[in-house]
């Protein structure tokens, strides 16, 4: 009976500490962030070795969300921009591009002007383009994060967010959307024209292009 009461008290204490978050204090955030990044790096290395990331079985490129962007850019380079919206043609281009047969559908839903930003990556090998896309958009995200939170080690906090890790793993748009959002909100009073450009660029993911004008109103 006494042991059960002690166990219950311990669980309540742990839950209370997590809820109150007294352990999240300024001087601890950088070590926490650095630890998270080390875990992400370790998983990434292990993922490559075990065929879970970047490369699959037999060291063949692994299709993931980024292949939708990359293959659409390559189709645009070949003068087949409209065909990128044809799921069958787009899927065939993905298979031809990386030389791997797969059944998953990574469709191209984005508006045509997004291709202008993606075209440089279409000239690169798929895996190289994937890494380059994450590096470039990640750098923009970190710069925007530091502008929002101008403190020492802000880049660690930015990259330690679990969403950052998932964005890299999938080759998704999160970094770019976050950077454009932060830019628009930071510049809306001091540089409204540049803020408007950032908002306009958010239409690369159409729902954000519709959402933020309403939010600003």
């Amino acid at each position: 009976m006494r042991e059960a009461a002690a166990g219950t008290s311990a669980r309540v204490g742990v839950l209370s500490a997590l809820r109150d978050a007294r352990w999240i204090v300024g001087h601890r955030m950088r070590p926490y962030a650095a630890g998270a990044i080390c875990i992400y790096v370790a998983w990434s290395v292990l993922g490559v070795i075990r065929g879970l990331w970047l490369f699959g079985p037999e060291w063949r490129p692994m299709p993931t969300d980024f292949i939708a962007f990359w293959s659409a850019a390559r189709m645009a380079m070949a003068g087949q921009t409209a065909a990128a919206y044809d799921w069958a043609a787009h899927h065939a281009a993905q298979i031809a591009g990386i030389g791997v047969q797969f059944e998953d559908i990574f469709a191209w839903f984005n508006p045509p002007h997004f291709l202008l930003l993606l075209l440089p990556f279409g000239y690169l090998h798929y895996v190289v383009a994937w890494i380059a896309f994450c590096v470039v958009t990640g750098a923009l995200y970190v710069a925007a994060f530091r502008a929002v939170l101008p403190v020492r080690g802000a880049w660690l906090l930015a990259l330690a967010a679990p969403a950052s890790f998932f964005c890299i793993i999938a080759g998704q748009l999160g970094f770019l959307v976050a950077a454009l959002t932060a830019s628009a909100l930071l510049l809306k009073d001091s540089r409204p024209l540049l803020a408007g450009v950032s908002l306009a660029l958010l239409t690369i993911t159409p729902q954000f292009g519709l959402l933020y004008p309403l939010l600003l109103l």
Side-chain angles (χ1 to χ4, degrees):
M1 192 74 175
R2 187 176 299 172
E3 292 177 356
T8 300
S9 177
R11 287 194 296 271
V12 169
V14 170
L15 292 174
S16 177
L18 291 174
R19 183 184 66 246
D20 298 339
R22 289 189 294 268
W23 51 280
I24 301 180
V25 293
H27 69 276
R28 291 179 178 173
M29 292 309 297
R30 285 193 293 274
Y32 289 157
I37 292 173
C38 288
I39 292 172
Y40 299 159
V41 171
W43 188 98
S44 300
V45 172
L46 182 62
V48 172
I49 294 172
R50 298 292 299 274
L52 300 173
W53 183 55
L54 292 181
F55 299 96
E58 301 179 0
W59 289 94
R60 292 179 177 273
M62 175 175 288
T64 188
D65 291 354
F66 179 71
I67 199 171
F69 305 150
W70 179 78
S71 55
R74 291 173 67 85
M75 293 178 79
M77 290 162 51
Q80 301 174 347
T81 303
Y85 294 94
D86 180 326
W87 285 13
H90 190 216
H91 185 66
Q94 294 170 4
I95 292 173
I98 64 174
V100 176
Q101 289 283 344
F102 61 94
E103 299 297 329
D104 295 329
I105 298 297
F106 300 99
W108 170 255
F109 296 105
N110 305 76
H113 60 273
F114 184 29
L115 290 169
L116 296 175
L117 301 178
L118 292 175
L119 282 177
F121 301 100
Y123 288 99
L124 304 175
H125 179 274
Y126 169 63
V127 173
V128 176
W130 182 353
I131 295 172
F133 181 77
C134 291
V135 169
V136 171
T137 58
L140 294 173
Y141 160 67
V142 169
F145 192 96
R146 291 185 64 186
V148 173
L149 187 67
V151 298
R152 182 183 174 187
W155 68 274
L156 281 171
L157 301 178
L159 295 179
S164 297
F165 177 62
F166 293 130
C167 188
I168 293 172
I169 292 300
Q172 258 296 347
L173 279 178
F175 284 150
L176 187 55
V177 169
L180 291 172
T181 300
S183 299
L185 296 177
L186 284 170
L187 298 172
K188 66 182 178 63
D189 295 322
S190 60
R191 306 290 294 274
L193 182 59
L194 290 179
V197 170
S198 296
L199 285 173
L201 288 174
L202 278 169
T203 58
I204 59 175
T205 302
Q207 64 268 30
F208 290 111
L210 296 172
L211 173 65
Y212 280 99
L214 297 176
L215 178 63
L216 292 175
L217 287 175

